[in-house]
Amino acid sequence: MGTAEFDIVITGGRVIDPETGLDATRSVGIRGGSVAAISDGELAGEQVLDARGHVVTPGFIDLHCHTQSLPGDRIQAFDGVTTTLELESGILPVADWYAQQARAGRAINYGTSASWSFARIAELNPQMGDPQPSIAYFQEAYRYSDWQHAVATREQIERILGRLEQGLAEGALGIGINNGYVPAAGVHEMSLVADLAARHDVPTFTHIQFMSNIDPASSQEAYLRLIAYAATSGAHMHICHLNSTSLRDIERCAQLISVAQQHGLKITVEAYPYGAASTVVGAAFLADPCYCERTGSTWSDIVLNATGQAVRDEAELRQVQKDEPGQPIIWHFLSPETDPDDQRLLDLSVLYPGGAIASDAMPWERPGHVLVEGDVWPLPTDAVAHPRSAGTFARFFARYVTGRRLIDLPDAVAKCTLIPAQILSSATATAARKGRLQVGADADIAVFDVDAFEDRATFAEPTHPSAGMAHLLVGGVPLIRDGALDTTARAGAPVRGTRAATT
């Protein structure tokens, strides 16, 4: 065959590029971390990966992942993810976080937004000190209340905006607005945050302010506020987890968003294919004494991660909130497995036209709330997190593509690749090279058996990796080959915002 022209060749697979519409059997040649050729003939490579009987797609881009660690990367790799981003909550200081990730080494690509909630914690609860680039800073803040329940002064708002602007200058991919955890944040503050995002032409990644089926302070009201921020500022407002924040009002909330988009507002959405959310027990909506009435849930719909047991009653929940307000929980807000109408509502969010799939993956913890970090594989069997941390994308394909056949394969691929890249297009030049499988694109590539691609993580046993992933490449480096993980691979690279170069 002669001298190999490419570093790696992926041969004989069904190659799908959601941007050009390519969907055909092709060979893919990779050189220097990029796609160098796509051919209907043979290509010569130093390494050859057999993709016969498999689909070959761009690697998935997860816009919403709190599991920013090497073990988290590894389990997401089996789910097809090659780029994992902390955008809803975000981080501060941004430069420190990127440096921390580089020192630790990452298996897949990573990035963050600038965290509005971290900035607010530092300004309204100064006893927390300056922000630290860790989710532990956010969890510890639940021991204080001003950042959640006090209206910021004009001076505090200016300092919050200054911290966010500094984060953008350090490479943040936008502004993370965890508004649902701060019910007291005023319209004045939020409109100025939206103005800042518009001025820098970056998205906001927003957990809407309220979660309730009934007024006042309903999910519908929160979406209308977000629509108003987009209309008055011109900012791109990205909505995180349309499913869990809409609760049982998904149909009406989706209608409001669709009409706003038809009027030209920059609003995008994401969802994950579960009827259960995950948060901390100190979340503001759980403190509402009318929680059951407002959410259509019961106290027993809340499961404590530490014990795996459902909360018995309100008294138990209030005690846990007092003793350990940062403890993670799983909250079953819909019952799609047993209620056909709940499944219909979940489908509306997952299949929202132009919407992305995103996991909202939670950090892995061992008993005693010890984070699973460092060079760990496999995940310890006593580690806990929502199963979406392991199986979101495989579950989407298994239940919506090969299962009930509600969406065609190319369109499903787009929701995991091209659409997330387009959402990031104003934030980073890197987005133009991701979410696509064409010459010049980054060689972030997933090769999987679509008929076998399914989630294996459950609520009882969440650490099981997804099945069906044959090969996964990050920057042209095989992380998974023939179904086996290379635990030495550290090809993950930072995805930084373009504002860092111009601010």
Side-chain angles (χ1 to χ4, degrees), residues 98-157:
Y98 276 112
Q100 186 182 79
Q101 304 310 305
R103 287 192 301 270
R106 295 290 297 272
I108 61 180
N109 306 314
Y110 56 91
T112 188
S113 66
S115 175
W116 166 74
S117 56
F118 278 41
R120 206 173 202 275
I121 290 165
E123 292 300 332
L124 276 77
N125 280 108
Q127 59 268 55
M128 280 290 297
D130 286 333
Q132 300 298 311
S134 168
I135 195 168
Y137 180 82
F138 184 70
Q139 291 174 322
E140 179 65 23
Y142 278 96
R143 299 193 178 278
Y144 305 99
S145 61
D146 286 356
W147 69 275
Q148 298 178 77
H149 301 294
V151 176
T153 66
R154 288 180 179 271
E155 292 77 14
Q156 288 170 329
I157 292 171

Side-chain angles (χ1 to χ4, degrees), residues 92-301:
L92 286 179
V94 169
D96 290 355
W97 183 83
Y98 276 112
Q100 186 182 79
Q101 304 310 305
R103 287 192 301 270
R106 295 290 297 272
I108 61 180
N109 306 314
Y110 56 91
T112 188
S113 66
S115 175
W116 166 74
S117 56
F118 278 41
R120 206 173 202 275
I121 290 165
E123 292 300 332
L124 276 77
N125 280 108
Q127 59 268 55
M128 280 290 297
D130 286 333
Q132 300 298 311
S134 168
I135 195 168
Y137 180 82
F138 184 70
Q139 291 174 322
E140 179 65 23
Y142 278 96
R143 299 193 178 278
Y144 305 99
S145 61
D146 286 356
W147 69 275
Q148 298 178 77
H149 301 294
V151 176
T153 66
R154 288 180 179 271
E155 292 77 14
Q156 288 170 329
I157 292 171
E158 287 302 315
R159 290 194 293 270
I160 290 168
L161 295 174
R163 289 181 185 270
L164 295 175
E165 197 152 26
Q166 180 62 33
L168 294 173
E170 294 175 359
L173 295 166
I175 299 174
I177 304 180
N178 226 331
N179 204 1
Y181 294 83
V182 189
V187 170
H188 177 68
E189 178 179 353
M190 298 315 305
S191 65
L192 289 175
V193 173
D195 287 350
L196 176 65
R199 190 159 63 249
H200 288 274
D201 193 21
V202 296
T204 70
F205 301 92
T206 305
H207 182 307
I208 60 167
Q209 189 163 13
F210 309 126
M211 293 170 59
S212 170
N213 295 318
I214 58 176
D215 289 325
S218 66
S219 297
Q220 290 189 40
E221 179 181 341
Y223 280 118
L224 287 170
R225 287 192 181 193
L226 181 143
I227 289 166
Y229 298 144
T232 56
S233 69
H236 174 179
M237 308 292 291
H238 177 74
I239 294 167
C240 297
H241 40 48
L242 174 62
N243 50 326
S244 62
T245 48
S246 302
L247 306 179
R248 296 181 183 279
D249 274 348
I250 288 173
E251 191 162 18
R252 175 57 176 164
C253 292
Q255 182 184 33
L256 294 172
I257 295 163
S258 178
V259 171
Q261 290 173 327
Q262 291 169 32
H263 283 290
L265 298 185
K266 297 178 185 177
I267 298 174
T268 52
V269 308
E270 67 180 54
Y272 53 81
Y274 296 84
S278 187
T279 183
V280 293
V281 74
F285 78 96
L286 293 173
D288 192 325
C290 298
Y291 149 83
C292 293
E293 179 185 6
R294 291 179 61 76
T295 64
S297 301
T298 66
W299 300 110
S300 61
D301 289 327

Side-chain angles (χ1 to χ4, degrees), residues 182-496:
V182 189
V187 170
H188 177 68
E189 178 179 353
M190 298 315 305
S191 65
L192 289 175
V193 173
D195 287 350
L196 176 65
R199 190 159 63 249
H200 288 274
D201 193 21
V202 296
T204 70
F205 301 92
T206 305
H207 182 307
I208 60 167
Q209 189 163 13
F210 309 126
M211 293 170 59
S212 170
N213 295 318
I214 58 176
D215 289 325
S218 66
S219 297
Q220 290 189 40
E221 179 181 341
Y223 280 118
L224 287 170
R225 287 192 181 193
L226 181 143
I227 289 166
Y229 298 144
T232 56
S233 69
H236 174 179
M237 308 292 291
H238 177 74
I239 294 167
C240 297
H241 40 48
L242 174 62
N243 50 326
S244 62
T245 48
S246 302
L247 306 179
R248 296 181 183 279
D249 274 348
I250 288 173
E251 191 162 18
R252 175 57 176 164
C253 292
Q255 182 184 33
L256 294 172
I257 295 163
S258 178
V259 171
Q261 290 173 327
Q262 291 169 32
H263 283 290
L265 298 185
K266 297 178 185 177
I267 298 174
T268 52
V269 308
E270 67 180 54
Y272 53 81
Y274 296 84
S278 187
T279 183
V280 293
V281 74
F285 78 96
L286 293 173
D288 192 325
C290 298
Y291 149 83
C292 293
E293 179 185 6
R294 291 179 61 76
T295 64
S297 301
T298 66
W299 300 110
S300 61
D301 289 327
I302 301 167
V303 177
L304 302 175
N305 279 21
T307 64
Q309 299 298 312
V311 169
R312 292 187 300 272
D313 51 30
E314 182 177 6
E316 182 183 12
L317 179 69
R318 301 301 177 223
Q319 188 62 51
V320 177
Q321 287 174 329
K322 178 182 176 181
D323 295 341
E324 200 172 358
Q327 180 179 153
I329 64 164
I330 288 172
W331 173 46
H332 295 269
F333 62 93
L334 292 176
S335 300
E337 291 79 12
T338 58
D339 188 327
D341 195 56
D342 279 10
Q343 182 66 67
R344 181 185 69 85
L345 292 175
L346 181 61
D347 292 347
L348 287 173
S349 63
V350 171
L351 298 175
Y352 186 90
I357 301 300
S359 73
D360 194 5
M362 297 296 285
W364 293 95
E365 290 188 349
R366 301 190 72 181
H369 304 304
V370 177
L371 289 175
V372 180
E373 298 179 300
D375 191 358
V376 176
W377 191 256
L379 287 174
T381 56
D382 61 354
V384 293
H386 192 298
R388 69 190 185 199
S389 303
T392 289
F393 294 90
R395 185 183 184 90
F396 169 58
F397 279 85
R399 300 205 172 197
Y400 288 86
V401 180
T402 58
R404 292 182 292 147
R405 300 185 183 278
L406 298 180
I407 183 171
D408 292 339
L409 177 60
D411 292 334
V413 170
K415 290 176 80 68
C416 304
T417 59
L418 180 63
I419 289 171
Q422 291 171 332
I423 288 168
L424 294 168
S425 61
S426 70
T428 176
T430 303
R433 304 192 304 273
K434 296 194 182 295
R436 299 156 171 89
L437 189 45
Q438 52 194 253
V439 173
D442 290 345
D444 299 335
I445 299 173
V447 182
F448 55 97
D449 180 347
V450 69
D451 292 319
F453 191 38
E454 63 180 358
D455 57 309
R456 298 191 303 158
T458 66
F459 291 102
E461 297 181 308
T463 61
H464 293 303
S466 295
M469 190 59 55
H471 315 295
L472 188 100
L473 284 72
V474 179
V477 176
L479 177 56
I480 297 173
R481 181 168 184 163
D482 296 322
L485 180 78
D486 181 354
T487 57
T488 69
R490 302 286 191 280
V495 180
R496 299 181 188 271

Side-chain angles (χ1 to χ4, degrees), residues 50-64:
D50 187 356
R52 288 174 296 177
H54 294 64
V55 296
V56 183
T57 75
F60 303 159
I61 301 170
D62 190 354
L63 297 172
H64 191 160

